[in-house]
Amino acid sequence: MIKKSKKVILTGLLSTLTAAYLLGSFAQAKSPSVESTAKEKLEAYIKFTQILNVIEKEYVDEVNTTALVDKALKGLMTNLDSHSTFMDTKAYKDLTVQTKGEFGGLGISVGMKDGALTVIAPLDGTPAFKAGVKAGDIILKIDDKATIGMTIDDSVKLMRGKPKTDIVLTMIRKKEPKPLKIKITRDIIKIQSVYVKTIGEKVLYIHVTSFDQKVVEGVKKAMKENHKAEGIILDFRNNPGGLLDQAVGLVDLFVEEGVIVSQKGKAKEENIAYKSHKKNSDTQTPIVVLVNGGSASASEIVAGALQDFNRSIVVGEKTFGKGSVQIVMPIGDKEALKLTVARYYLPSGRTIQAEGVTPDIIIHSGECEQKEDPLFLKERDLKKHLESELEKIDVNATIKTIRVDDNSTDSNATKGEDDNKTIITEDQLYKDAQLKSAVDILRALIITNKGKK
């Protein structure tokens, strides 16, 4: 544990001051270089100890040296990047609880973008999703606490709490003239990570909401049960990421050879390449991947890798850009550092971090305008039209209204409600411009893929 008494600090100050005297003046400000010399390092340590000593002696209130050092470490880690942090005893304990037990949450993934606490994505079916939180929302306040200068870990800590308790998020949303206040009730977050539907007879639609430990298994099962499908849509929109091995495993289902993703850091042990394998890989079925600004981390790795292997067409909007690796390094028994130690690189060598994945075809969210031929009457409309004309001929006539769909639509009404969970209809497609475009592109790929198998 990093703890020093005032006596030890002062002794250290005397030692560093002596060393500084031997090395010369260190008071002048210097522009930092990429790598510090031994002298520069020593001067930096001396400066820190000097300032700490001045605060202890001159600050108006009594201060605790350990608390001061902890605050300095938190500031230091925050200024490295938005994902690195120093965890004191309480923060480290909270992390242990979060990874080992259940907790109440909102179901959103957040990140820092341009210095603002930004929603990466709300997860389907969670309290945040139901309350209307959207990817790209900027969180200004959590209850009455402003998020300016707040770390990601601190914000997550505030948003988590006992199930069935309320929280109010104040947010800025694009195209909204005023900040929005959204009240959300915390709950135990249980996520279904893979949703499977079909579009017509040829298209298999797989929506992966997050990369938990069952993703590869779920996608394999979907492909096996729908083996007659001639094309696949992988929907990673609003997918905040998750387990790296699942991202690698998913790409491995569709490519035979090559490095899927690599991570590179300063330490040699952090330089790892994750390769594909030939066993049971589907290299023929056309694939379209859907992404947006809420697609991050593992979902960006899959989309970017399949794009680099020329194995899929990526459609939608530019992804979030979260491609760094963090590890938790304990300091003693009660404290720890969460430190960024590497970055991910796609097969082509490009990085995801702060860059994201740019789709091959950019399609913004929204609905498709659906126009019908004004000269074309559907069967039901034609029936109503004829009945109306008959009424004009003989207003006294008794006309029995016959529903054209009495034996079809009605009998399928309940069936349709059940099938809606596994089938995407044409009407539903027109309400989702990105998905509609993805299906059109995939159908074209299916046609051009004829005879290749």
Side-chain angles (χ1 to χ4, degrees):
M1 188 180 298
I2 301 177
K3 280 191 177 181
K4 290 187 179 181
S5 66
K6 184 179 290 188
K7 183 177 180 181
V8 174
I9 290 288
L10 291 175
T11 303
L13 175 62
L14 292 174
S15 301
T16 50
L17 284 174
T18 303
Y21 178 77
L22 294 173
L23 290 170
S25 173
F26 56 85
Q28 295 180 352
K30 297 181 180 180
S31 57
S33 58
V34 176
E35 292 185 10
S36 301
T37 63
K39 179 181 177 181
E40 288 171 336
K41 285 182 180 180
L42 182 58
E43 289 176 352
Y45 298 148
I46 292 168
K47 184 196 297 184
F48 178 81
T49 313
Q50 264 194 310
I51 293 171
L52 187 66
N53 189 46
V54 170
I55 292 171
E56 288 176 329
K57 285 185 176 181
E58 306 295 340
Y59 187 67
V60 62
D61 297 323
E62 286 295 323
V63 290
N64 179 278
T65 302
T66 300
L68 279 178
V69 171
D70 285 355
K71 288 178 180 179
L73 289 171
K74 288 179 181 178
L76 167 66
M77 301 300 290
T78 301
N79 280 283
L80 286 177
D81 62 69
S82 60
H83 301 287
S84 296
T85 185
F86 168 71
M87 290 181 281
D88 57 20
T89 303
K90 186 178 184 305
Y92 191 35
K93 184 179 179 181
D94 289 343
L95 177 68
T96 305
V97 171
Q98 291 165 16
T99 54
K100 291 185 178 179
E102 285 192 332
F103 56 89
L106 308 182
I108 56 174
S109 178
V110 294
M112 285 293 178
K113 199 159 192 177
D114 299 325
L117 184 65
T118 305
V119 176
I120 296 176
L123 300 176
D124 283 357
T126 61
F129 181 86
K130 293 174 183 176
V133 176
K134 295 183 178 181
D137 286 347
I138 295 173
I139 302 175
L140 285 179
K141 294 175 73 175
I142 301 172
D143 284 331
D144 59 348
K145 295 186 178 180
T147 61
I148 297 174
M150 187 181 290
T151 66
I152 293 175
D153 285 347
D154 287 341
S155 67
V156 170
K157 195 186 305 179
L158 285 175
M159 287 187 280
R160 285 176 174 155
K162 292 182 179 179
K164 308 305 178 186
T165 58
D166 294 332
I167 186 172
V168 176
L169 300 183
T170 304
M171 298 185 292
I172 295 175
R173 180 174 294 166
K174 190 176 181 180
K175 295 184 180 180
E176 290 289 343
K178 295 181 180 179
L180 305 173
K181 282 193 174 183
I182 299 181
K183 184 178 180 181
I184 309 173
T185 302
R186 297 180 180 93
D187 205 348
I188 301 297
I189 305 301
K190 295 179 180 178
I191 303 298
Q192 180 181 336
S193 57
V194 178
Y195 292 84
V196 180
K197 297 185 180 184
T198 56
I199 304 171
E201 297 179 353
K202 297 181 179 180
V203 177
L204 173 61
Y205 170 83
I206 303 175
H207 184 194
V208 182
T209 61
S210 64
F211 279 85
D212 66 11
Q213 59 188 0
K214 297 182 179 179
V215 168
V216 175
E217 177 188 334
V219 174
K220 275 185 179 178
K221 181 181 178 183
M223 291 169 64
K224 185 176 181 180
E225 291 177 351
N226 297 273
H227 61 278
K228 292 183 179 181
E230 297 181 26
I232 300 171
I233 290 177
L234 295 175
D235 191 346
F236 299 137
R237 289 176 295 178
N238 296 334
N239 181 322
L243 300 175
L244 175 64
D245 68 327
Q246 294 296 301
V248 172
L250 184 52
V251 176
D252 202 12
L253 294 179
F254 303 108
V255 297
E256 283 186 330
E257 57 183 344
V259 175
I260 293 171
V261 65
S262 58
Q263 65 178 60
K264 299 176 184 178
K266 186 181 292 183
K268 288 184 179 180
E269 59 267 23
E270 297 300 336
N271 296 332
I272 306 171
Y274 300 89
K275 298 180 180 180
S276 57
H277 307 85
K278 288 187 177 181
K279 187 178 180 180
N280 300 323
S281 296
D282 178 354
T283 61
Q284 298 297 321
T285 305
I287 302 170
V288 172
V289 174
L290 273 171
V291 295
N292 64 3
S295 308
S297 192
S299 58
E300 292 177 285
I301 289 173
V302 178
L306 291 175
Q307 187 181 51
D308 279 1
F309 279 117
N310 200 29
R311 186 63 188 86
S312 74
I313 302 294
V314 179
V315 175
E317 297 167 298
K318 191 171 183 178
T319 62
F320 187 81
K322 201 283 183 184
S324 56
V325 185
Q326 286 76 39
I327 62 171
V328 176
M329 306 170 65
I331 301 172
D333 297 327
K334 298 181 180 179
E335 296 173 318
L337 294 180
K338 185 170 79 171
L339 188 66
T340 299
V341 295
R343 291 191 178 92
Y344 290 124
Y345 294 87
L346 294 173
S348 63
R350 58 181 170 143
T351 181
I352 300 167
Q353 182 60 30
E355 298 293 333
V357 174
T358 301
D360 298 299
I361 301 173
I362 295 178
I363 303 291
H364 298 296
S365 61
E367 296 187 11
C368 293
E369 187 177 357
Q370 189 174 9
K371 291 184 178 180
E372 294 182 357
D373 187 341
L375 299 178
F376 177 76
L377 286 174
K378 290 184 177 179
E379 190 176 359
R380 182 185 296 184
D381 297 329
L382 179 61
K383 182 68 180 178
K384 290 179 181 178
H385 176 67
L386 293 176
E387 288 175 353
S388 176
E389 292 303 312
L390 284 172
E391 286 178 354
K392 293 177 185 177
I393 295 171
D394 187 355
V395 292
N396 296 318
T398 302
I399 300 174
K400 181 181 179 182
T401 302
I402 301 174
R403 293 186 59 179
V404 175
D405 55 351
D406 276 349
N407 296 320
S408 55
T409 307
D410 279 358
S411 62
N412 288 330
T414 304
K415 183 176 179 289
E417 290 175 4
D418 293 336
D419 285 351
N420 192 46
K421 294 180 180 179
T422 58
I423 295 174
I424 295 177
T425 65
E426 198 72 16
D427 286 339
Q428 289 173 323
L429 279 181
Y430 274 94
K431 292 179 181 178
D432 187 341
Q434 292 174 331
L435 180 56
K436 175 70 169 63
S437 298
V439 172
D440 291 342
I441 293 165
L442 186 62
R443 284 172 176 163
L445 291 174
I446 290 171
I447 293 171
T448 57
N449 197 51
K450 292 291 185 183
K452 289 186 178 180
K453 291 187 178 181

